[in-house]
Amino acid sequence: MIADNVVVIEKVEKKFGDTYALKGVSHVVKREEIHVLLGPNGSGKSTLLKILAGILKPDKGRAVVLGKEPYLNPEVKKFIGYCPQENLLYESLTGFENLVFYAGLYGLSPSQAKERARELSEILGLDEWFFRKKVKAYSGGMAKRASLAVSLVHDPQVLIMDEPTSGLDPQARRLLWDAVDKLRNEGKTVILATHIFEDAEVLADKVVVMHKGRVVAVGGAGDLKRKIGCRYALELEFSREPEKDVLAKLKKIAGESRLLKVGNTIRLLVDDASLISKIEEASPGKLLNLSVRRISLGDVYFALTGVELK
């Protein structure tokens, strides 16, 4: 019987030339959990996923999936589904024809592929377009769901997804969220990489905050928000770029590591909404708008790394 720890990553390092993509990454994923790797391009997310999928081999450390290292034991790949960021579907074929082709690579017969397509249609919301339209006519959301179907054709235990909602409109993103949640309920373990903090807010049992090849923090969304000690994000829009004395006053109120300036707008992360009066006093006559909201995982990422997710 396989232990509850489906994925175990131990001090993994990976370099490309003189550049570290991963620096001593360790992490554990339990059965039927969704873990979201959160970070911008260059944070090491995709490299780590490729190691877990068996495409890359680490320079140091090891990554174990279902008890085996996939880059050393190809047999374990039959239990792993990998959905990369790039579309690997053949555009001159329908989604169903792509699924049948990839099913054959896993040793499934056409009749088995057809039955699997029926099962996945219910989970992923694959309509007639999947069976009749060629991939080149698909919208972004259709292509993502078709790619996901292909990665699931062999009914893997572990699903690895790289930026699955990137470039999707809000409706298509919600459809994909629903599909991933259904897969977890079907017993899948999911590891998903994204730079979109809403993905982590909605899906993650555990958020893995990655920055420059390292794991900076791990926890549930609520746990990470409590960790930084801030409950509110204040957005300040000025009539013109704020002067240095205004910035100095605001940094004193919120702390330098919790202030983000973009042009004429400043975001402050604070724990006490009553600071609004002090903030207004610090910028008399220059403040056009001030809004307050509860912090997001995007704010958490900024507080932990000093980098804004875009």
Side-chain angles (χ1 to χ4, degrees), residues 22 72 82 87 113 115 117 120 135 184 201 215 217 283 287 295-296 309:
L22 296 170
L72 297 178
Y82 175 54
N87 185 353
E115 175 61 20
L120 291 170
V135 169
R184 187 254 304 277
E201 295 267 11
V215 172
S283 50
L287 194 58
I295 64 166
S296 68
L309 291 175

Side-chain angles (χ1 to χ4, degrees), residues 105-310:
L105 299 181
Y106 285 101
L108 276 67
S109 68
S111 61
Q112 288 174 316
K114 186 175 181 179
E115 175 61 20
R116 186 65 181 144
R118 185 191 63 77
E119 295 170 354
L120 291 170
S121 293
E122 296 178 6
I123 297 171
L124 303 179
L126 306 176
D127 296 323
E128 283 299 306
W129 55 264
F130 179 75
F131 296 91
R132 297 187 180 278
K133 283 188 177 182
K134 296 187 185 298
V135 169
K136 61 186 175 184
Y138 286 2
S139 66
M142 290 175 180
K144 291 283 187 179
R145 280 187 284 161
S147 295
L148 183 52
V150 166
S151 70
L152 291 165
V153 68
H154 56 303
D155 197 18
Q157 296 179 37
V158 179
L159 176 61
I160 297 170
M161 308 175 71
D162 195 356
E163 297 283 358
T165 67
S166 180
L168 299 188
D169 60 47
Q171 181 180 4
R173 187 178 297 163
R174 284 192 291 271
L175 288 171
L176 200 135
W177 287 341
D178 289 343
V180 173
D181 197 48
K182 286 178 184 176
L183 289 167
R184 187 254 304 277
N185 293 336
E186 292 280 326
K188 308 299 182 194
T189 301
V190 182
I191 305 167
L192 182 156
T194 185
H195 69 281
I196 301 170
F197 66 83
E198 290 95 340
D199 291 349
E201 295 267 11
V202 173
L203 294 172
D205 294 307
K206 292 285 180 66
V207 181
V208 184
V209 179
M210 296 192 67
H211 178 59
K212 294 184 177 180
R214 299 184 186 277
V215 172
V216 177
V218 178
D223 295 333
L224 291 175
K225 289 175 183 179
R226 286 188 288 273
K227 179 176 181 176
I228 67 168
C230 297
R231 290 179 292 171
Y232 305 102
L234 278 57
E235 298 280 352
L236 287 67
E237 182 185 356
F238 291 84
S239 58
R240 59 181 182 276
E241 189 168 350
E243 297 172 358
K244 290 182 179 180
D245 64 321
V246 173
L247 285 174
K249 291 176 184 178
L250 294 176
K251 286 178 182 179
K252 188 174 181 180
I253 293 169
E256 186 168 359
S257 66
R258 293 173 177 173
L259 181 149
L260 173 66
K261 176 181 174 295
V262 181
N264 294 0
T265 301
I266 289 178
R267 183 190 308 160
L268 301 175
L269 304 182
V270 299
D271 194 45
D272 184 359
S274 67
L275 290 172
I276 289 175
S277 58
K278 289 185 178 180
I279 290 168
E280 289 179 320
E281 289 174 7
S283 50
K286 301 172 184 177
L287 194 58
L288 290 178
N289 293 299
L290 190 155
S291 61
V292 184
R293 58 172 173 78
R294 289 195 173 274
I295 64 166
S296 68
L297 280 177
D299 300 316
V300 170
Y301 193 90
F302 171 70
L304 292 172
T305 67
V307 174
E308 183 184 20
L309 291 175
K310 298 179 179 179

